[in-house]
Amino acid sequence: MKKYIRKCYYYGAYIFSKTIVLLPYNFAVNKFANFMGTLVYYIVKDARLKARKHLSMCFPDKTKQEIEKIVKTIFQYETKNFIELLYFPKMSNEFFDSIASITNEQKEIFDKLLKRKKGLFALSAHFGNWEMVAAGFAKVYPVNVVAKKIYIDELNDMLVKYRNSRNVKVILRSETSSARKMLKALKNNEIIAMLIDQDTKVQSVFVDFFGMPASTPLGLASIALKTGTPVVLCLDKRLPGGKHTFIVSDEIVPPASCGNFDEDVKNFTAKMTKYLEKNIKENPEQWVWFHERWKTKQV
């Protein structure tokens, strides 16, 4: 039975993906997505309540009205993210540049760090449209994203194809060869984008996030410390009218070693998480607050 249900999910997504791109891009992203996102906001009660709860925990000074406005915007933005992804294969480079492009200053940061020939880690999060920032830098540099495999194979293949259409290479965490592929990419002086803002079933460490201990993937910090690969913050920020801007930091230098590798990994993960928290605090509507970020409890 599950097999047939999953097939239905896939065919539903396939039909929607082929239908939506028949609409003019600006209408689909700026009008239709707002309508659909608002509809989902009212329908998906559980996610709405989680987002409201988490925002209230992290922003106790905000009024209920302010919280609710952010929650509704999140649903609209996530719908926009999905629809923008569906248009990836149809976008010319010129059109992509008209809605999102890297600046000369950002390119200088990447070029300077890539001269070390150790590759580059792009620290990212489910912020803005994270697919857009990967695609933006993949126009100039070889970019790999480390991603979780969707449990429906056909949907996973569809997502990988959309990313590949913008020259973004995908390394699936579940693959036995994922570590080897990452090390090969770094050896080839490529960029690896990793998102460390969710509580997932990977090796993790508890660090502070909005004043609460949060289980956070440690893989990026661990590999960066072992290989000497530099790390920069790399986020997408959604702007009014369907446009985007990219947020890129200078190198995030690991804290001085305390002589214990595990503690060094924890401290570096904590430092990177603070970079994410700062941007989420400044733009709370850009992050996925319905995720159970504090699900795993520290023993």
Side-chain angles (χ1 to χ4, degrees):
M1 187 65 178
K2 279 186 178 180
K3 178 181 177 181
Y4 294 108
I5 292 174
R6 290 178 179 182
K7 286 286 186 182
C8 288
Y9 285 151
Y10 164 69
Y11 286 119
Y14 179 82
I15 292 169
F16 181 81
S17 69
K18 295 301 181 183
T19 303
I20 195 69
V21 294
L22 298 176
L23 299 173
Y25 179 85
N26 287 332
F27 174 80
V29 171
N30 296 315
K31 299 292 184 182
F32 183 71
N34 282 340
F35 168 75
M36 288 297 296
T38 302
L39 187 63
V40 174
Y41 160 82
Y42 285 111
I43 291 174
V44 187
K45 181 180 178 181
D46 183 57
R48 184 175 74 245
L49 293 178
K50 285 178 182 177
R52 187 186 298 162
K53 171 188 172 185
H54 296 150
L55 277 160
S56 299
M57 286 165 45
C58 297
F59 296 93
D61 294 335
K62 290 191 181 295
T63 66
K64 289 184 178 180
Q65 291 77 16
E66 288 173 325
I67 293 293
E68 210 58 38
K69 182 179 180 181
I70 294 172
V71 173
K72 184 178 288 187
T73 302
I74 292 165
F75 280 88
Q76 293 171 343
Y77 280 5
E78 293 311 305
T79 307
K80 290 175 186 284
N81 288 351
F82 178 57
I83 289 177
E84 285 169 340
L85 179 67
L86 299 181
Y87 277 88
F88 269 13
K90 295 187 66 174
M91 289 184 186
S92 65
N93 286 336
E94 293 73 21
F95 179 77
F96 191 98
D97 284 341
S98 72
I99 59 174
S101 61
I102 62 176
T103 66
N104 289 333
E105 291 80 5
Q106 291 167 351
K107 190 173 183 299
E108 286 174 6
I109 292 172
F110 274 58
D111 289 344
K112 178 182 68 176
L113 295 176
L114 287 170
K115 284 181 180 178
R116 299 182 190 175
K117 302 297 182 182
K118 290 180 175 290
L120 180 64
F121 274 120
L123 165 68
S124 199
H126 296 83
F127 185 95
N129 188 342
W130 52 95
E131 303 287 357
M132 190 69 75
V133 69
F137 280 87
K139 286 178 74 268
V140 183
Y141 304 98
V143 171
N144 305 263
V145 296
V146 180
K148 177 183 177 181
K149 182 179 179 180
I150 299 175
Y151 68 93
I152 301 174
D153 289 340
E154 294 87 350
L155 283 180
N156 184 76
D157 292 343
M158 182 188 295
L159 178 56
V160 169
K161 286 178 181 177
Y162 280 119
R163 288 168 171 161
N164 290 165
S165 73
R166 303 308 308 177
N167 296 322
V168 176
K169 294 177 281 187
V170 180
I171 300 174
L172 296 175
R173 287 201 314 253
S174 57
E175 293 179 323
T176 55
S177 60
S178 60
R180 179 174 55 81
K181 287 182 177 180
M182 290 175 66
L183 292 174
K184 182 179 179 181
L186 296 178
K187 186 178 180 180
N188 292 337
N189 206 33
E190 298 180 4
I191 296 165
I192 299 179
M194 295 183 72
L195 287 66
I196 68 166
D197 62 323
Q198 292 197 342
D199 185 342
T200 57
K201 295 178 181 179
V202 297
Q203 280 191 299
S204 300
V205 63
F206 282 95
V207 299
D208 182 90
F209 186 64
F210 282 89
M212 295 169 282
S215 180
T216 305
L218 58 77
L220 195 164
S222 179
I223 299 172
L225 289 175
K226 288 177 180 177
T227 61
T229 302
V231 180
V232 297
L233 176 74
C234 199
L235 300 172
D236 170 80
K237 180 181 176 182
R238 183 174 294 283
L239 302 175
K243 293 186 181 296
H244 299 257
T245 188
F246 300 145
I247 300 170
V248 175
S249 73
D250 287 320
E251 181 182 3
I252 304 175
V253 180
S257 175
C258 66
N260 181 301
F261 183 74
D262 289 342
E263 283 298 310
D264 289 345
V265 168
K266 180 177 180 178
N267 292 337
F268 195 18
T269 302
K271 182 174 182 177
M272 290 188 287
T273 299
K274 284 299 178 187
Y275 274 76
L276 301 181
E277 181 181 316
K278 176 180 180 293
N279 282 277
I280 294 169
K281 280 182 175 178
E282 293 172 355
N283 304 277
E285 75 287 349
Q286 303 274 344
W287 194 59
V288 288
W289 287 95
F290 42 75
H291 170 68
E292 290 276 17
R293 185 65 186 92
W294 300 270
K295 174 180 61 179
T296 303
K297 303 301 179 185
Q298 190 171 20
V299 179

